[in-house]
Amino acid sequence: MKITITRTQTPKQKPDQNALGFGRYFTDHMFMMNYTEGIGWHDARIVPFGDISLSPACMVFHYAQEMFEGLKAYKTEDGRILLFRPEKNIERMNSTNKRLCVPQVNPDDILQAIIETVKIDSDWIPTLPGTSLYIRPFIIATDPALGVHPSKTYLFMIILSPVGAYYAAGLNPVDICVEDEYVRAVRGGMGFAKVGANYAASLIGQQKAEEKGYAQVLWLDGIEHKYVDEVGSMNVFFVIDGEVITPSLDEGNILPGVTRASAIELLRAYGYKVTERKISIQEVYDAAESGKLQEVFGTGTAAVVSPVGKLDWDGRIIVINEGKIGKISQFLYDQITGIQFGRIKDEFGWTREVK
Ligand SMILES: *Cc1c(COP(=O)(O)O)cnc(C)c1O
């Protein structure tokens, strides 16, 4: 794919690496590409980062035909730049696109777009321990028309944001509230797709949890409010009596996380028993009661592993592993970040060097 490059004439000052946070700063450039029915994807270009102009009638503003992805570029101690399993994100992008009636993208072209955009802003990749460059590809429907049908034109973009270490002071367990009123996904819905609309649906639950002093929500299934789906915007794992259990993907209500897949593969390679199946919140509470619940943690690109210290289900509170990080959470965190930052030999062939 030919990518036209227009470099910025006014590079920005880079933010303080100690105060990056998440998604607050953006690099000097961004990638753009258009889709037109009958032509396909066209006009791939890297341009200075900046505002875009759209008709207020654009379909994305009214009917939420929008998808996104999230991955990171990491700088190793010897100055190499690594991506972590980007082909998995691109594969998921096309699965999301299919659900949302957005045209498919060419995986090679998207990988090239990610690599070229990261390369042009490679001096924006922070180097302090745990920091990285967050990569946000997304697609919006741009037909300026209010009829409800799939758009005939789209805009694909990639923006980049230097982000801070998720855990400034080591892995910190978070307190989670089980949400039994609102749901984020249902069978046949869009739970497996990475779409902004799922996040719009989740905000109220998140707000409720925060009002009660909790960091995140544990989502239950949308039909019976019985089985565990995900935790916040992460996949969820339970360790019960030595067995690692995570909700299975077959009902289409769970986002197939790249970190989730990597955690499962890693644990199995190291001889752990990992089971993908339905798990009810009652089973989790029963396990806690009988002293068999050893760990609960979330997985996702942003935090890698996020241990859960406490669960509150309708006022019934359980404390997990005395509110401390469990062995398996720590193992996964060390292994995955070790591979991502090139500290551990990548025996799985998961990283891809940008050069
Ligand atoms: C992105 C996301 C995840 C985590 O996926 P990763 O590929 O591991 O980053 C989990 N759940 C939801 C709802 C998500 O949007």
Side-chain angles (χ1 to χ4, degrees):
M1 175 175 69
K2 165 131 188 51
I3 303 175
T4 311
I5 295 175
T6 311
R7 281 179 187 274
T8 181
Q9 297 304 306
T10 50
K12 291 178 278 200
Q13 177 149 15
K14 298 197 177 51
D16 175 3
Q17 283 197 28
N18 286 297
L20 289 172
F22 180 80
R24 292 193 292 131
Y25 301 98
F26 297 94
T27 65
D28 281 327
H29 298 88
M30 61 188 185
F31 177 89
M32 299 175 85
M33 173 165 80
N34 295 84
Y35 179 92
T36 308
E37 198 178 70
I39 299 174
W41 291 104
H42 60 91
D43 284 295
R45 57 203 186 271
I46 291 172
V47 296
F49 183 94
D51 295 352
I52 56 173
S53 172
L54 291 168
S55 162
C58 275
M59 295 191 60
V60 65
F61 298 135
H62 307 279
Y63 309 125
Q65 205 189 0
E66 185 267 0
M67 67 79 56
F68 68 96
E69 266 303 327
L71 66 163
K72 285 173 166 180
Y74 308 85
K75 204 160 239 170
T76 66
E77 258 168 42
D78 56 1
R80 291 178 304 137
I81 300 164
L82 300 179
L83 300 174
F84 185 73
R85 311 187 81 178
E87 63 290 340
K88 297 280 271 183
N89 294 88
I90 297 169
E91 193 185 306
R92 186 169 67 193
M93 184 179 279
N94 270 335
S95 139
T96 299
N97 285 359
K98 187 167 171 229
R99 177 64 180 81
L100 213 60
C101 298
V102 169
Q104 296 285 292
V105 291
N106 177 319
D108 294 336
D109 290 349
I110 301 305
L111 186 60
Q112 182 193 355
I114 291 170
I115 288 174
E116 293 309 316
T117 315
V118 167
K119 253 165 57 177
I120 206 165
D121 281 333
S122 61
D123 56 349
W124 279 82
I125 307 175
T127 49
L128 279 187
T131 62
S132 56
L133 186 70
Y134 186 76
I135 305 167
R136 168 56 61 87
F138 63 102
I139 301 175
I140 56 174
T142 50
D143 275 11
L146 297 183
V148 180
H149 55 75
S151 185
K152 293 175 169 55
T153 61
Y154 296 87
L155 176 62
F156 174 101
M157 298 186 69
I158 302 172
I159 55 175
L160 306 173
S161 173
V163 296
Y166 206 86
Y167 300 107
L171 277 180
N172 211 6
V174 291
D175 295 347
I176 302 287
C177 192
V178 180
E179 176 57 60
D180 51 14
E181 180 186 2
Y182 301 110
V183 297
R184 72 168 283 281
V186 289
R187 202 182 303 158
M190 299 202 290
F192 68 91
K194 217 162 169 77
V195 297
N198 284 343
Y199 280 74
S202 77
L203 294 175
I204 194 164
Q206 176 68 26
Q207 194 176 48
K208 222 175 108 185
E210 279 169 19
E211 277 164 12
K212 288 202 266 178
Y214 289 92
Q216 298 258 346
V217 173
L218 188 85
W219 297 103
L220 300 180
D221 80 272
I223 296 166
E224 297 179 82
H225 294 201
K226 195 170 149 189
Y227 298 100
V228 176
D229 271 0
E230 300 202 45
V231 57
S233 52
M234 289 181 288
N235 294 116
V236 67
F237 287 76
F238 301 90
V239 184
I240 298 178
D241 209 9
E243 179 185 3
V244 184
I245 302 162
T246 190
S248 49
L249 302 175
D250 12 277
E251 287 185 2
N253 47 335
I254 287 163
L255 201 286
V258 178
T259 322
R260 174 189 182 278
S262 308
I264 293 172
E265 285 171 59
L266 254 168
L267 289 171
R268 287 189 177 146
Y270 279 82
Y272 288 95
K273 180 170 186 216
V274 186
T275 311
E276 295 175 71
R277 63 163 170 92
K278 277 186 165 185
I279 178 165
S280 69
I281 187 68
Q282 187 61 53
E283 181 182 345
V284 174
Y285 269 66
D286 289 347
E289 185 133 320
S290 61
K292 289 182 175 160
L293 180 65
Q294 293 156 317
E295 295 183 42
V296 179
F297 56 90
T299 63
T301 296
V304 186
V305 173
S306 180
V308 175
K310 191 188 238 179
L311 279 176
D312 179 340
W313 180 25
D314 221 4
R316 283 165 284 173
I317 292 176
I318 53 177
V319 175
I320 298 130
N321 196 35
E322 295 163 0
K324 299 190 308 257
I325 308 129
K327 245 178 51 197
I328 292 180
S329 312
Q330 188 71 54
F331 167 78
L332 283 174
Y333 182 79
D334 293 343
Q335 289 289 321
I336 296 174
T337 56
I339 293 170
Q340 288 169 336
F341 286 92
R343 289 188 300 262
I344 292 181
K345 188 157 169 273
D346 176 15
E347 283 168 19
F348 298 88
W350 283 344
T351 54
R352 175 163 190 124
E353 187 169 351
V354 173
K355 54 181 175 189

